[in-house]
Amino acid sequence: KSAKWSPKENESRRLPIYQHKSKLIQAVKDSSFLVVTGETGSGKTTQLPQYLREAGFCKDGKIGITQPRRVAAITVAQRVAQEMQCTLGKEVGYQVRFDDCTSQDTVVKYMTDGCLLREVLADPALSQYSVIILDEVHERSLNTDILLGLIKKVFTNPAKATKGRSFPLKVVVMSATLETDKLSAFLSNCPVFAIPGRTFPVTCTFGSAVGPKDLESTGYVKEVVKVALDIHTSEMAGDILVFLTGQSEIEHACDMLFEKAECIDYRYDVTDQSVDGLLILPLYGSMPTDQQRQIFQPPPPGIRKCVVATNIAATSLTIDGIKYIVDSGFVKQLNHNSRVGMDILEVVPISKSEAQQRAGRAGRTSAGKCFRIYTKEFWEKCMPEYTIPEIQRTSLTAVILTLKCLGIHDVIRFPYLDCPEERFILEALKQLYQFDAIDRRGNVTKLGELMVEFPLHPGLTRALLKAASLGCQDLLLPVAAMLSVENIFIRPGHPDKQKEADKKHRALAAKTGSMNDFATLLNVFQSCKSSDRPSAWCKENWIHWRALKSAFSVETQLRDILHRLQQKKDFPVETFDGNKSELFRRCLCTGYFTNVARRSIGKVFCTMDGHGSMVHIHPSSSLFDQEAELNWVIFHDVLATSRVYIRTVCPIRYEWVKDLLPKLHEVDAYELSSVARE
Ligand code: ADP
Ligand code: MG
């Protein structure tokens, strides 16, 4: 009985959830559905799956735990593997888009909500699982919301729940906030298990740097750096957590901190250094996992840790030892902008509830302080009460196609926890029709069935399939892969280095012989791949080698999916005569004719989707400053700061989209949904 506890095990016994272990296991046994709530850091994500495994829930099937964020899925799986003293990918594994680290032995599987949604497509009964845990439900990510609806539809219906299964499925829904009545009501009034928290008071102060007039300014980066340094020099021991918006802002802030303080830079090995300083650690979604691990380690003696993070540190990952919060008041969010008619990545004020969540991170182990850099007036006038769920603010195109392929025809009356606006659903249907994924009656076409297999934006998939039907997938596969990984081009920030990087990047673009950002991506991919020393090639050209490695792997996976689909006898085949550059751009047009813009005056372009929005070419494009030579262009995405920018741009001829553009106005969206309403 006196088996030695590993230190890890001891540690986990101190978590609030531990005292409720047997009651929790019993609660899962007693009911098909259970809502579990508890403060961030109470041990829900890392412990509950282990408890259930110990209690024998893995006998018949796996325990699957979903996370809205990819980094969280990976990091938590690593942690749990460590606690269970097993190799990651064996008993405990993870799966995220384009990265599967599981095996036949995996019984505890962390995954993104998007991955589980894809699994539902292949196996709606989820027959491999004995328990599904939907985690971080309070985040209200689009995919988690859809999974909730699907689970309600199938598993709260006794007749459907057992179909394709030999034993019943247990569903646990976990949330860090107390909005649990709504969740319980949604899932047949299931029981709610609240893990009592223990938190310490956090004193919040408002600043003077950001007011209602500063909505468009980026001064918040400088300000959080200043405040963090003030804390470092004037406050007692305790680590700092800074909330910023995204990778480039975070890296910029880390650079400034490093220059201004006597700091330890995260890029160097910290183990031998013991200056009285600040250990600066960035934390964002796409960062390398070996760097992430450092976030959780206590700093060396006499050193203060300063983590500069995106919202991921608000609930998805818990960092111990944080006593001070610096809150920028902003978040980078994908929003559907109905004025522009597109999803736009933009920096917006956080909600008041989000601000409270951020502040709470300082009060986990003792009393803490939260420094808000914005004014009380900003709080009152600019910050909404709650964050709007993603399903009510982003494009639903991919999700609606998934639902249709699951045989859910009536996408308007699907059981949504919070209904998206009807016009968002209609817009998604319209876009699916434009991409030939559904027909006029709202039924999935053969092409739609092929499209749903790709974990890509439907437009990109459409272009890829067009290329495949013409036998030139080798042009589009690398592009799709490059667009699926983040941050290919290094932007050093430092003015001299930036110039050097810009020069290299322009040279890479020039080598393609055509001004076309998609061709540049293809060129970077191919040049690096064919190089003898690809990592050195990347270094020399200011390209992120890690991003390219991912792109190589993504390309292989997309190629495999395509290859599998091409075996089907009715895979479309077409021919084309014309030159390669035209072929390439025409394929792109089939997927991007919804993103066409025409130059109006000067550097201003006007979109052709009926919204007629005014847009500019982003400075990162090789076409920036070449506007005078352009007329018609297509673009991959849109970024809004002080202006609306289009990124990854390609010049086209009007003739190539002439026949496609009428499709944008051909059907009335209601027509597509009329079937759905019958
Ligand atoms: P919850 O899901 O309730 O927010 P978690 O299970 O994520 O809680 O976290 C429980 C504890 O485990 C926290 O104290 C956290 O700091 C610790 N923890 C989680 N992941 C790691 C990790 N990768 N490294 C070290 N500690 C971790
Ligand atoms: Mg959690």
Tab-separated table of all heavy atoms in Angstrom, residues 8 11 15-17 38-48 67 75-76 78-80 82-83 135-136 174 176 195 292-293 295-297 315-320 361 364, ligand 1:
chain	number	residue	atom	x	y	z
A	8	LYS	N	5.457	14.320	-8.869
A	8	LYS	CA	4.359	14.797	-9.716
A	8	LYS	C	3.021	14.434	-9.097
A	8	LYS	O	2.105	15.208	-9.021
A	8	LYS	CB	4.443	14.173	-11.116
A	8	LYS	CG	5.547	14.732	-11.938
A	8	LYS	CD	5.099	15.992	-12.664
A	8	LYS	CE	6.212	16.987	-12.827
A	8	LYS	NZ	7.497	16.445	-13.204
A	11	GLU	N	2.204	16.453	-6.170
A	11	GLU	CA	1.788	17.777	-6.607
A	11	GLU	C	0.313	17.761	-7.007
A	11	GLU	O	-0.458	18.619	-6.627
A	11	GLU	CB	2.605	18.118	-7.855
A	11	GLU	CG	3.149	19.508	-7.940
A	11	GLU	CD	4.058	19.577	-9.152
A	11	GLU	OE1	3.545	19.885	-10.228
A	11	GLU	OE2	5.268	19.269	-9.004
A	15	LEU	N	-4.047	19.692	-5.840
A	15	LEU	CA	-5.004	20.446	-6.662
A	15	LEU	C	-6.427	20.334	-6.087
A	15	LEU	O	-6.789	19.293	-5.543
A	15	LEU	CB	-4.992	19.916	-8.096
A	15	LEU	CG	-3.706	20.183	-8.886
A	15	LEU	CD1	-3.716	19.405	-10.189
A	15	LEU	CD2	-3.552	21.655	-9.145
A	16	PRO	N	-7.211	21.395	-6.228
A	16	PRO	CA	-8.567	21.396	-5.662
A	16	PRO	C	-9.410	20.190	-6.099
A	16	PRO	O	-10.225	19.703	-5.327
A	16	PRO	CB	-9.177	22.690	-6.213
A	16	PRO	CG	-8.017	23.575	-6.466
A	16	PRO	CD	-6.877	22.684	-6.827
A	17	ILE	N	-9.189	19.693	-7.303
A	17	ILE	CA	-10.044	18.631	-7.812
A	17	ILE	C	-9.833	17.330	-7.042
A	17	ILE	O	-10.731	16.495	-6.943
A	17	ILE	CB	-9.793	18.408	-9.334
A	17	ILE	CG1	-10.934	17.629	-9.968
A	17	ILE	CG2	-8.464	17.729	-9.574
A	17	ILE	CD1	-10.844	17.528	-11.484
A	38	GLY	N	-15.177	24.668	-12.643
A	38	GLY	CA	-14.182	24.947	-11.615
A	38	GLY	C	-13.218	25.988	-12.138
A	38	GLY	O	-12.979	26.063	-13.343
A	39	GLU	N	-12.687	26.773	-11.234
A	39	GLU	CA	-11.698	27.802	-11.579
A	39	GLU	C	-10.584	27.259	-12.472
A	39	GLU	O	-10.199	26.096	-12.322
A	39	GLU	CB	-11.038	28.281	-10.280
A	39	GLU	CG	-11.573	29.547	-9.707
A	39	GLU	CD	-11.177	30.748	-10.532
A	39	GLU	OE1	-10.021	30.806	-11.002
A	39	GLU	OE2	-12.027	31.628	-10.715
A	40	THR	N	-10.054	28.101	-13.305
A	40	THR	CA	-8.881	27.725	-14.077
A	40	THR	C	-7.758	27.317	-13.124
A	40	THR	O	-7.500	28.026	-12.152
A	40	THR	CB	-8.415	28.930	-14.914
A	40	THR	OG1	-9.476	29.277	-15.783
A	40	THR	CG2	-7.192	28.606	-15.723
A	41	GLY	N	-7.159	26.186	-13.395
A	41	GLY	CA	-6.058	25.731	-12.544
A	41	GLY	C	-6.487	24.735	-11.486
A	41	GLY	O	-5.664	24.248	-10.716
A	42	SER	N	-7.790	24.395	-11.431
A	42	SER	CA	-8.205	23.460	-10.381
A	42	SER	C	-7.863	22.009	-10.719
A	42	SER	O	-7.941	21.146	-9.856
A	42	SER	CB	-9.690	23.634	-10.052
A	42	SER	OG	-10.468	23.639	-11.204
A	43	GLY	N	-7.504	21.740	-11.962
A	43	GLY	CA	-7.053	20.393	-12.322
A	43	GLY	C	-8.007	19.636	-13.220
A	43	GLY	O	-7.829	18.443	-13.458
A	44	LYS	N	-8.999	20.319	-13.761
A	44	LYS	CA	-9.990	19.645	-14.607
A	44	LYS	C	-9.326	18.941	-15.788
A	44	LYS	O	-9.495	17.753	-16.003
A	44	LYS	CB	-11.011	20.664	-15.145
A	44	LYS	CG	-11.776	21.428	-14.090
A	44	LYS	CD	-12.824	22.348	-14.703
A	44	LYS	CE	-12.263	23.476	-15.563
A	44	LYS	NZ	-11.403	24.430	-14.839
A	45	THR	N	-8.587	19.711	-16.570
A	45	THR	CA	-8.069	19.201	-17.834
A	45	THR	C	-7.029	18.095	-17.654
A	45	THR	O	-7.058	17.088	-18.361
A	45	THR	CB	-7.440	20.356	-18.635
A	45	THR	OG1	-8.396	21.407	-18.717
A	45	THR	CG2	-7.044	19.921	-20.028
A	46	THR	N	-6.126	18.287	-16.696
A	46	THR	CA	-5.052	17.297	-16.553
A	46	THR	C	-5.476	16.105	-15.701
A	46	THR	O	-4.992	14.995	-15.917
A	46	THR	CB	-3.789	17.931	-15.924
A	46	THR	OG1	-4.161	18.604	-14.714
A	46	THR	CG2	-3.143	18.918	-16.876
A	47	GLN	N	-6.364	16.298	-14.712
A	47	GLN	CA	-6.641	15.207	-13.769
A	47	GLN	C	-7.843	14.342	-14.126
A	47	GLN	O	-7.771	13.118	-14.016
A	47	GLN	CB	-6.836	15.770	-12.344
A	47	GLN	CG	-5.693	16.649	-11.869
A	47	GLN	CD	-4.332	15.976	-11.972
A	47	GLN	OE1	-4.160	14.848	-11.514
A	47	GLN	NE2	-3.374	16.638	-12.599
A	48	LEU	N	-8.959	14.968	-14.517
A	48	LEU	CA	-10.180	14.167	-14.702
A	48	LEU	C	-9.980	12.969	-15.647
A	48	LEU	O	-10.384	11.854	-15.316
A	48	LEU	CB	-11.357	15.044	-15.145
A	48	LEU	CG	-12.688	14.294	-15.234
A	48	LEU	CD1	-13.122	13.747	-13.878
A	48	LEU	CD2	-13.787	15.150	-15.823
A	67	GLN	N	-9.922	20.367	-27.033
A	67	GLN	CA	-9.446	21.692	-26.663
A	67	GLN	C	-9.680	22.615	-27.852
A	67	GLN	O	-9.433	22.208	-28.981
A	67	GLN	CB	-7.931	21.660	-26.404
A	67	GLN	CG	-7.487	20.785	-25.253
A	67	GLN	CD	-7.871	21.380	-23.918
A	67	GLN	OE1	-7.725	22.582	-23.703
A	67	GLN	NE2	-8.393	20.554	-23.035
A	75	THR	N	0.329	20.743	-25.253
A	75	THR	CA	0.991	20.978	-23.965
A	75	THR	C	0.389	20.118	-22.858
A	75	THR	O	1.105	19.536	-22.048
A	75	THR	CB	0.852	22.463	-23.566
A	75	THR	OG1	1.145	23.251	-24.703
A	75	THR	CG2	1.787	22.824	-22.457
A	76	VAL	N	-0.938	20.071	-22.827
A	76	VAL	CA	-1.595	19.306	-21.769
A	76	VAL	C	-1.287	17.810	-21.920
A	76	VAL	O	-1.007	17.124	-20.940
A	76	VAL	CB	-3.112	19.576	-21.774
A	76	VAL	CG1	-3.811	18.642	-20.832
A	76	VAL	CG2	-3.395	21.022	-21.401
A	78	GLN	N	1.381	16.509	-23.166
A	78	GLN	CA	2.764	16.327	-22.693
A	78	GLN	C	2.796	16.225	-21.175
A	78	GLN	O	3.453	15.364	-20.602
A	78	GLN	CB	3.622	17.525	-23.111
A	78	GLN	CG	4.105	17.452	-24.535
A	78	GLN	CD	4.713	18.790	-24.971
A	78	GLN	OE1	4.517	19.823	-24.349
A	78	GLN	NE2	5.452	18.745	-26.065
A	79	ARG	N	2.068	17.130	-20.541
A	79	ARG	CA	2.051	17.171	-19.085
A	79	ARG	C	1.475	15.870	-18.517
A	79	ARG	O	2.017	15.282	-17.598
A	79	ARG	CB	1.221	18.377	-18.641
A	79	ARG	CG	0.858	18.413	-17.188
A	79	ARG	CD	2.060	18.685	-16.332
A	79	ARG	NE	1.693	18.840	-14.924
A	79	ARG	CZ	2.553	19.136	-13.978
A	79	ARG	NH1	3.823	19.301	-14.275
A	79	ARG	NH2	2.157	19.273	-12.736
A	80	VAL	N	0.368	15.424	-19.080
A	80	VAL	CA	-0.291	14.238	-18.553
A	80	VAL	C	0.571	12.995	-18.789
A	80	VAL	O	0.677	12.124	-17.917
A	80	VAL	CB	-1.711	14.092	-19.156
A	80	VAL	CG1	-2.352	12.776	-18.765
A	80	VAL	CG2	-2.579	15.251	-18.699
A	82	GLN	N	3.707	12.951	-18.796
A	82	GLN	CA	4.754	13.055	-17.787
A	82	GLN	C	4.228	12.578	-16.422
A	82	GLN	O	4.880	11.801	-15.740
A	82	GLN	CB	5.129	14.527	-17.718
A	82	GLN	CG	6.489	14.841	-17.192
A	82	GLN	CD	6.669	16.359	-17.187
A	82	GLN	OE1	5.731	17.116	-16.917
A	82	GLN	NE2	7.868	16.807	-17.484
A	83	GLU	N	3.016	13.032	-16.082
A	83	GLU	CA	2.437	12.639	-14.792
A	83	GLU	C	2.198	11.133	-14.736
A	83	GLU	O	2.359	10.498	-13.705
A	83	GLU	CB	1.120	13.379	-14.542
A	83	GLU	CG	1.315	14.833	-14.179
A	83	GLU	CD	0.001	15.528	-13.795
A	83	GLU	OE1	-1.007	14.844	-13.534
A	83	GLU	OE2	-0.001	16.777	-13.771
A	135	ASP	N	-13.857	20.222	-23.468
A	135	ASP	CA	-13.211	21.079	-22.474
A	135	ASP	C	-13.225	22.539	-22.924
A	135	ASP	O	-13.354	22.812	-24.122
A	135	ASP	CB	-11.762	20.588	-22.283
A	135	ASP	CG	-11.142	21.088	-20.984
A	135	ASP	OD1	-11.840	21.776	-20.213
A	135	ASP	OD2	-9.961	20.780	-20.744
A	136	GLU	N	-13.059	23.438	-21.981
A	136	GLU	CA	-12.983	24.867	-22.291
A	136	GLU	C	-14.216	25.349	-23.053
A	136	GLU	O	-14.116	26.157	-23.976
A	136	GLU	CB	-11.740	25.181	-23.134
A	136	GLU	CG	-10.436	24.740	-22.533
A	136	GLU	CD	-9.893	25.698	-21.497
A	136	GLU	OE1	-9.938	26.909	-21.715
A	136	GLU	OE2	-9.451	25.212	-20.449
A	174	MET	N	-16.844	20.572	-19.781
A	174	MET	CA	-16.139	21.320	-18.737
A	174	MET	C	-16.025	22.801	-19.080
A	174	MET	O	-15.761	23.169	-20.223
A	174	MET	CB	-14.745	20.737	-18.523
A	174	MET	CG	-14.790	19.260	-18.195
A	174	MET	SD	-13.419	18.682	-17.206
A	174	MET	CE	-12.097	18.688	-18.380
A	176	ALA	N	-14.914	26.829	-17.329
A	176	ALA	CA	-14.291	27.549	-16.218
A	176	ALA	C	-15.215	28.610	-15.646
A	176	ALA	O	-14.967	29.141	-14.574
A	176	ALA	CB	-12.984	28.190	-16.666
A	195	ILE	N	-16.521	22.297	-8.768
A	195	ILE	CA	-15.348	22.100	-7.911
A	195	ILE	C	-15.097	23.417	-7.199
A	195	ILE	O	-14.798	24.429	-7.845
A	195	ILE	CB	-14.115	21.714	-8.746
A	195	ILE	CG1	-14.406	20.453	-9.551
A	195	ILE	CG2	-12.897	21.527	-7.863
A	195	ILE	CD1	-13.466	20.255	-10.716
A	292	GLN	N	7.879	26.277	-25.374
A	292	GLN	CA	6.716	26.352	-24.495
A	292	GLN	C	6.981	25.747	-23.138
A	292	GLN	O	6.477	26.199	-22.130
A	292	GLN	CB	5.562	25.576	-25.115
A	292	GLN	CG	4.715	26.388	-26.033
A	292	GLN	CD	3.932	25.474	-26.912
A	292	GLN	OE1	3.549	24.384	-26.502
A	292	GLN	NE2	3.702	25.886	-28.134
A	293	ARG	N	7.770	24.689	-23.109
A	293	ARG	CA	7.983	23.960	-21.868
A	293	ARG	C	8.552	24.857	-20.774
A	293	ARG	O	8.231	24.723	-19.615
A	293	ARG	CB	8.914	22.788	-22.130
A	293	ARG	CG	8.302	21.498	-21.624
A	293	ARG	CD	9.115	20.335	-22.076
A	293	ARG	NE	8.727	19.943	-23.425
A	293	ARG	CZ	9.032	18.764	-23.929
A	293	ARG	NH1	9.702	17.900	-23.234
A	293	ARG	NH2	8.659	18.450	-25.158
A	295	ILE	N	7.887	27.808	-20.096
A	295	ILE	CA	6.874	28.656	-19.489
A	295	ILE	C	6.489	28.133	-18.109
A	295	ILE	O	6.220	28.895	-17.203
A	295	ILE	CB	5.599	28.653	-20.365
A	295	ILE	CG1	5.911	29.028	-21.794
A	295	ILE	CG2	4.489	29.503	-19.782
A	295	ILE	CD1	6.165	30.465	-22.017
A	296	PHE	N	6.429	26.810	-17.982
A	296	PHE	CA	5.923	26.220	-16.749
A	296	PHE	C	6.998	26.043	-15.685
A	296	PHE	O	6.691	25.795	-14.546
A	296	PHE	CB	5.285	24.862	-17.049
A	296	PHE	CG	4.088	24.976	-17.935
A	296	PHE	CD1	4.176	24.718	-19.293
A	296	PHE	CD2	2.867	25.363	-17.405
A	296	PHE	CE1	3.069	24.838	-20.101
A	296	PHE	CE2	1.753	25.479	-18.215
A	296	PHE	CZ	1.854	25.220	-19.571
A	297	GLN	N	8.262	26.135	-16.107
A	297	GLN	CA	9.317	25.914	-15.120
A	297	GLN	C	9.505	27.129	-14.238
A	297	GLN	O	9.426	28.259	-14.706
A	297	GLN	CB	10.630	25.577	-15.833
A	297	GLN	CG	10.838	24.091	-15.928
A	297	GLN	CD	11.450	23.671	-17.230
A	297	GLN	OE1	12.258	24.399	-17.806
A	297	GLN	NE2	11.045	22.514	-17.706
A	315	THR	N	-7.223	31.033	-19.904
A	315	THR	CA	-7.831	29.836	-19.305
A	315	THR	C	-7.215	28.531	-19.787
A	315	THR	O	-7.180	27.563	-19.054
A	315	THR	CB	-9.347	29.732	-19.605
A	315	THR	OG1	-9.550	29.701	-21.010
A	315	THR	CG2	-10.118	30.862	-18.984
A	316	SER	N	-6.732	28.483	-21.040
A	316	SER	CA	-6.299	27.196	-21.594
A	316	SER	C	-5.099	26.618	-20.873
A	316	SER	O	-5.006	25.417	-20.676
A	316	SER	CB	-5.941	27.333	-23.066
A	316	SER	OG	-7.026	27.836	-23.770
A	317	LEU	N	-4.140	27.463	-20.523
A	317	LEU	CA	-2.939	26.990	-19.846
A	317	LEU	C	-2.779	27.745	-18.536
A	317	LEU	O	-2.974	28.952	-18.491
A	317	LEU	CB	-1.704	27.235	-20.722
A	317	LEU	CG	-1.675	26.535	-22.075
A	317	LEU	CD1	-0.424	26.938	-22.851
A	317	LEU	CD2	-1.715	25.022	-21.907
A	318	THR	N	-2.449	27.022	-17.492
A	318	THR	CA	-2.269	27.673	-16.198
A	318	THR	C	-0.793	27.754	-15.857
A	318	THR	O	-0.109	26.741	-15.838
A	318	THR	CB	-2.965	26.874	-15.077
A	318	THR	OG1	-4.281	26.572	-15.509
A	318	THR	CG2	-3.009	27.663	-13.807
A	319	ILE	N	-0.308	28.943	-15.612
A	319	ILE	CA	1.095	29.124	-15.238
A	319	ILE	C	1.124	29.448	-13.753
A	319	ILE	O	0.481	30.399	-13.309
A	319	ILE	CB	1.737	30.256	-16.062
A	319	ILE	CG1	1.534	29.982	-17.544
A	319	ILE	CG2	3.211	30.395	-15.741
A	319	ILE	CD1	1.619	31.213	-18.405
A	320	ASP	N	1.854	28.640	-13.000
A	320	ASP	CA	1.906	28.861	-11.553
A	320	ASP	C	2.850	30.007	-11.209
A	320	ASP	O	3.746	30.336	-11.982
A	320	ASP	CB	2.363	27.581	-10.857
A	320	ASP	CG	1.339	26.466	-11.017
A	320	ASP	OD1	0.133	26.784	-10.993
A	320	ASP	OD2	1.739	25.307	-11.185
A	361	ARG	N	-5.884	35.498	-13.038
A	361	ARG	CA	-4.660	34.697	-13.147
A	361	ARG	C	-3.616	35.086	-12.103
A	361	ARG	O	-2.683	34.357	-11.876
A	361	ARG	CB	-4.027	34.811	-14.547
A	361	ARG	CG	-4.858	34.487	-15.774
A	361	ARG	CD	-5.434	33.087	-15.790
A	361	ARG	NE	-6.675	33.026	-15.077
A	361	ARG	CZ	-6.960	32.168	-14.110
A	361	ARG	NH1	-6.097	31.291	-13.730
A	361	ARG	NH2	-8.116	32.189	-13.505
A	364	ARG	N	-3.955	33.045	-7.953
A	364	ARG	CA	-4.088	31.612	-7.749
A	364	ARG	C	-3.400	31.121	-6.474
A	364	ARG	O	-3.901	30.249	-5.805
A	364	ARG	CB	-3.569	30.857	-8.968
A	364	ARG	CG	-4.595	30.895	-10.104
A	364	ARG	CD	-4.339	29.816	-11.127
A	364	ARG	NE	-4.340	28.491	-10.525
A	364	ARG	CZ	-3.312	27.656	-10.529
A	364	ARG	NH1	-2.207	28.003	-11.103
A	364	ARG	NH2	-3.415	26.482	-9.976
B	1	ADP	P1	-7.866	23.413	-15.240
B	1	ADP	O1	-8.143	22.588	-16.453
B	1	ADP	O2	-8.854	23.195	-14.141
B	1	ADP	O3	-7.731	24.853	-15.572
B	1	ADP	P2	-5.295	22.127	-15.322
B	1	ADP	O4	-5.578	20.673	-15.201
B	1	ADP	O5	-4.998	22.652	-16.659
B	1	ADP	O6	-6.475	22.935	-14.623
B	1	ADP	O7	-4.037	22.515	-14.423
B	1	ADP	C1	-3.827	21.984	-13.132
B	1	ADP	C2	-2.435	22.302	-12.641
B	1	ADP	O8	-1.466	21.661	-13.441
B	1	ADP	C3	-2.094	23.795	-12.666
B	1	ADP	O9	-1.546	24.135	-11.411
B	1	ADP	C4	-1.047	23.934	-13.742
B	1	ADP	O10	-0.127	24.892	-13.437
B	1	ADP	C5	-0.432	22.560	-13.792
B	1	ADP	N1	0.027	22.289	-15.165
B	1	ADP	C6	-0.755	22.078	-16.214
B	1	ADP	N2	-0.019	21.873	-17.330
B	1	ADP	C7	1.276	21.943	-16.940
B	1	ADP	C8	2.544	21.823	-17.605
B	1	ADP	N3	2.618	21.579	-18.917
B	1	ADP	N4	3.652	21.945	-16.857
B	1	ADP	C9	3.587	22.181	-15.541
B	1	ADP	N5	2.434	22.335	-14.873
B	1	ADP	C10	1.293	22.218	-15.540
